Amino acid sequence: MKTSTRFVTAFVATLGLSFTALAKTPDGKPCILLLAGKPSHGPGEHEHNAGVKLFAKCLAQGAPDVVTKVHLDADWPNADELAQADTIVIYSDGQGGHVALQGDDRLPALAKEMNRGCGLVCVHYAVEPSFEATGWAGAQRGPDGKTPKVDLPPGRGSKGKGAPEFLEWLGGYFEQFWSVNPHWLADFNKLPTHPITSGVKPFSTTDEWYFFMRFREGMKGVTPILAAVAPPETMNRGEGDHAGNPDVRRSVLEEKKPQVVAWASERANGGRGFGFCGGHFHKGWGDNDQRKLVLNAILWTAKVAMPAGGVESKITDEDLAQNLDPKAPRKPAATPAPPAPAPANAAAKPIFTSPLVHDKPTEIKADLKGAKELFLAVTDGGDGFVADWADWIEPVLVKADGSKIKLTELKPKSAKVGFGQFGVNKNPRGAALKVGGQPVAFGFGAHAPSLAGFDLPEGVVGFEARGGVDNGGTDQGGGATVKFLVYTQNPGEAAIASEKSGAPVASADRYGLEKAKANMASFQTPTGLTASLFAAEPMIQNPTNIDIDHHGRIWAAECVNYRKFADLRPEGDRIVILEDTNGDGLADKETTFFQDPRLTNPLGICVLPGPGGAKKGTQVLVSAAPNLWLLTDTQGTDHADKAEIILNVSGNWNHDHQLHAFSFGMDGKLYFDMGNEARELKTPDGNLIIDVAGNRVTADRKPYQQGMVFRADFADGKLSNFETLAWDF
């Protein structure tokens, strides 16, 4: 039967569909248009130009029948190129840095192509349109005094330029004051059946995985592709435009819902969209499964037939290093020199000393008549300073006329804390003050031992406050006991030494050994066994495993960044060498062998001679879920000059039931184990380990489950011949 064009056009119009056909390249091949934003962030981050060039290289390998056209540095294609595109990929910053939102002509030009059914892929920050809050007059500052706290009606938030378009074209977008952008390790252990997941295996990567997107009502036409349960640490920040809100906190902390971080969408006119929230770190494209997923999505949105097993591509470290934007290395922010403290008076006596404070705050009152200075001190209470976070709650100066001045309005002239920073309206980690679960209206946050000095205004006759242990300490359980002291003269650091030592601690005692030795006096052992001190905080912090090398030096893995305290040490956990150089039985030298933010949850360490023997450096195996690291010192400098991941485990990475200790046996083989929160062993490129019995090393009960014990050969920096010795722990 012959059908008239007019009839077909009318039929399509009744469905509300566009009838504009996709334009083709001169040779008729499908066209992929790749648009990169301008450089931003630090080296290896938001590498938009290198990213789209890498996509083009990989598509040439795995989908040679498509044409790719690349535009760099926010360059916008002409109308002919836009009309030829079967899909448009945008990898750029969002908001004002978004490639499609610069100027007034780009968004309408993009709309024209979307209306004809062209596909759209947005990677990372490109899923975020500009921000414009409606129905809101004026920003109220949040607890940190900086972050705007916006009270928007339900369902209202970013309604700025591009928001309604992205909702239609992509199916969802990052909405300010609704969505969040923490860095976390997402474990994608289940993938849906969809063309985009063709040949993609479950994988896990650390990235700035945005989540809690604003999706179409009822997820109409939207299919989640990647979803993972976000750890509680993603909610550590306060509320703000990208940090958090009650809805997302409930979703993560109470409901523990899987958070969608990649999705596919379809439009009424046949157009397709794909949003991908990862891509902050350029190194992430080295993960074969992450890379394949995005390449597959590009073809799917272009309506190009998917190769069997997805888009195959191979890249090297050299490929990842190509085309990176020239960026200066990140430098730590310059810290102004602290003001010189007042001269110490060792004979100074406190005018107020609190009782031991643990779970209940104490009242503090001191007479300041005739005083010119005020010094606030916190001691550890005599039981060590672990978790001793102290808050000076609502401190005020009382004047002769009865009026009061908030002490937080005065700038300290000197401040010293045992950990973190002396916080004004913040705790030592920079979070809001909280005691007994209740917020503190204003005050100072410190960590014992602490001493802060102030110059007093004229007419001050008294000081009032309350002293309590911040939730940053009590939430860690156990100790957290402190004493609050008030002085009118600078007593010096000796005044805040541990009371249990019975004597001032010399300022040269850099590592607090004298305090620690005093604490050891109460350490009890069975008859015939003696325990003595070797090292103390802060020389070594929270060691989880040790090994001893052929020089008799102790090597330790530190696990400070753990669970809800994952950001206590921004520079990352470390592998440290401790030495006793004068033979007195106490460590007096520490050397950081390796430290990196990627060293997560280190639980095991095994120190071995270097590839050239004991005289030529060192090899160190460190189990730090989700990875097994091989750290190599090739020069004998006691610093790792090579760090590589040689094994991967999936599962709940931030858990002590994970990949554990490694040790060589008498048979020359390497023995190691993992707990029940580890799920499987994989090579760094994502391939599942097959042991010598021919079984897949995965906890799927076919036959292995729960914790497992292994034996393997280790040579030339590689593991092989895996044996599963036992399981079900």
Side-chain angles (χ1 to χ4, degrees), residues 272-513:
R272 296 173 174 176
F274 178 72
F276 184 80
C277 294
H280 178 88
F281 298 111
H282 187 65
K283 66 182 181 182
W285 303 120
D287 186 288
N288 183 67
D289 294 297
Q290 174 176 311
R291 189 173 69 252
K292 178 181 284 190
L293 186 92
V294 173
L295 296 175
N296 287 353
I298 292 172
L299 291 196
W300 180 78
T301 57
K303 300 180 183 176
V304 174
M306 193 71 62
V311 180
E312 297 291 349
S313 63
K314 291 185 178 180
I315 63 170
T316 63
D317 290 342
E318 288 72 23
D319 292 326
L320 284 172
Q322 288 181 359
N323 306 309
L324 297 176
D325 294 320
K327 299 176 181 177
R330 285 191 182 276
K331 295 182 179 180
T335 303
N345 178 5
K349 301 295 183 182
I351 62 172
F352 173 88
T353 301
S354 79
L356 201 64
V357 178
H358 175 50
D359 56 343
K360 295 181 180 179
T362 188
E363 295 293 330
I364 300 172
K365 287 189 177 183
D367 186 348
L368 298 181
K369 291 175 184 175
K372 302 296 184 183
E373 298 176 297
L374 173 68
F375 290 87
L376 305 180
V378 181
T379 71
D380 63 18
D383 58 354
F385 57 79
V386 175
D388 283 348
W389 301 46
D391 290 351
W392 294 88
I393 304 169
E394 300 176 3
V396 295
L397 301 175
V398 182
K399 302 190 74 172
D401 61 3
S403 62
K404 297 181 179 180
I405 303 171
K406 291 182 179 179
L407 188 57
T408 51
E409 295 177 356
L410 275 62
K411 184 177 181 179
K413 64 178 181 179
S414 62
K416 182 182 177 85
V417 293
F419 163 81
Q421 61 186 0
F422 185 76
V424 179
N425 298 322
K426 298 178 182 179
N427 68 22
R429 281 180 55 201
L433 299 173
K434 190 179 289 187
V435 174
Q438 299 301 313
V440 174
F442 63 94
F444 298 114
H447 191 296
S450 168
L451 183 65
F454 300 82
D455 285 323
L456 292 175
E458 291 291 333
V460 172
V461 297
F463 171 69
E464 297 177 358
R466 289 183 297 138
V469 179
D470 190 90
N471 270 87
T474 55
D475 287 353
Q476 298 184 49
T481 54
V482 299
K483 283 190 177 183
F484 294 85
L485 299 93
V486 179
Y487 294 82
T488 55
Q489 297 180 57
N490 180 8
E493 294 181 20
I496 58 175
S498 172
E499 294 183 2
K500 200 164 191 176
S501 68
V505 176
S507 59
D509 180 22
R510 179 182 173 194
Y511 298 116
L513 289 173

Side-chain angles (χ1 to χ4, degrees), residues 40-48 183 279-282 325 327 330:
S40 76
H41 289 62
E45 302 173 358
H46 288 225
E47 295 287 355
H48 308 129
H183 289 234
H280 178 88
F281 298 111
H282 187 65
D325 294 320
K327 299 176 181 177
R330 285 191 182 276

Side-chain angles (χ1 to χ4, degrees), residues 134-167:
T134 57
W136 162 52
Q140 293 181 336
R141 296 296 173 183
D144 59 3
K146 297 178 181 179
T147 307
K149 181 180 179 182
V150 180
D151 185 16
L152 297 174
R156 302 286 292 278
S158 169
K159 303 299 181 184
K161 186 177 181 180
E165 289 84 358
F166 282 22
L167 188 64

Side-chain angles (χ1 to χ4, degrees), residues 261-273:
V261 299
W263 66 93
S265 67
E266 298 186 72
R267 309 194 295 274
N269 66 0
R272 296 173 174 176

Side-chain angles (χ1 to χ4, degrees), residues 341-684:
N345 178 5
K349 301 295 183 182
I351 62 172
F352 173 88
T353 301
S354 79
L356 201 64
V357 178
H358 175 50
D359 56 343
K360 295 181 180 179
T362 188
E363 295 293 330
I364 300 172
K365 287 189 177 183
D367 186 348
L368 298 181
K369 291 175 184 175
K372 302 296 184 183
E373 298 176 297
L374 173 68
F375 290 87
L376 305 180
V378 181
T379 71
D380 63 18
D383 58 354
F385 57 79
V386 175
D388 283 348
W389 301 46
D391 290 351
W392 294 88
I393 304 169
E394 300 176 3
V396 295
L397 301 175
V398 182
K399 302 190 74 172
D401 61 3
S403 62
K404 297 181 179 180
I405 303 171
K406 291 182 179 179
L407 188 57
T408 51
E409 295 177 356
L410 275 62
K411 184 177 181 179
K413 64 178 181 179
S414 62
K416 182 182 177 85
V417 293
F419 163 81
Q421 61 186 0
F422 185 76
V424 179
N425 298 322
K426 298 178 182 179
N427 68 22
R429 281 180 55 201
L433 299 173
K434 190 179 289 187
V435 174
Q438 299 301 313
V440 174
F442 63 94
F444 298 114
H447 191 296
S450 168
L451 183 65
F454 300 82
D455 285 323
L456 292 175
E458 291 291 333
V460 172
V461 297
F463 171 69
E464 297 177 358
R466 289 183 297 138
V469 179
D470 190 90
N471 270 87
T474 55
D475 287 353
Q476 298 184 49
T481 54
V482 299
K483 283 190 177 183
F484 294 85
L485 299 93
V486 179
Y487 294 82
T488 55
Q489 297 180 57
N490 180 8
E493 294 181 20
I496 58 175
S498 172
E499 294 183 2
K500 200 164 191 176
S501 68
V505 176
S507 59
D509 180 22
R510 179 182 173 194
Y511 298 116
L513 289 173
E514 295 304 319
K515 290 171 60 179
K517 283 193 290 186
N519 287 338
M520 286 292 292
S522 63
F523 197 95
Q524 297 183 5
T525 59
T527 302
L529 182 66
T530 301
S532 60
L533 179 72
F534 180 70
E537 289 183 310
M539 174 186 269
I540 181 71
Q541 299 183 57
N542 205 35
T544 51
N545 199 217
I546 64 172
D547 199 358
I548 302 174
D549 68 11
H550 57 289
H551 298 296
R553 304 179 304 177
I554 292 181
W555 293 61
E558 292 183 339
C559 184
V560 174
N561 294 339
Y562 185 60
R563 297 224 177 151
K564 61 183 177 182
F565 305 107
D567 57 353
L568 275 179
R569 182 189 271 174
E571 63 272 25
D573 277 325
R574 65 175 186 153
I575 304 304
V576 61
I577 310 170
L578 305 176
E579 298 180 68
D580 169 18
T581 63
N582 58 15
D584 66 353
L586 293 171
D588 50 49
K589 180 182 178 182
E590 62 166 324
T591 304
T592 298
F593 182 76
F594 181 74
Q595 186 169 28
D596 194 287
R598 299 169 296 167
L599 193 70
T600 53
N601 195 26
L603 297 177
I605 182 172
C606 180
V607 183
L608 307 167
K615 294 183 179 180
K616 295 191 177 179
T618 312
Q619 286 185 315
V620 182
L621 291 168
V622 178
S623 50
N627 302 306
L628 171 65
W629 291 75
L630 175 61
L631 309 174
T632 306
D633 166 20
T634 63
Q635 306 298 320
T637 62
D638 286 337
H639 298 287
D641 49 58
K642 185 178 181 182
E644 53 190 320
I645 294 171
I646 62 172
L647 196 65
N648 181 261
V649 294
S650 63
N652 182 2
W653 67 275
N654 203 357
H655 202 289
D656 51 293
H657 294 196
Q658 250 289 354
L659 190 64
H660 269 272
F662 283 71
S663 180
F664 264 98
M666 296 290 288
D667 54 3
K669 289 182 177 287
L670 190 68
Y671 288 76
F672 64 101
D673 59 1
M674 67 185 192
N676 62 299
E677 288 297 326
R679 301 289 185 266
E680 57 193 11
L681 292 185
K682 297 184 291 185
T683 60

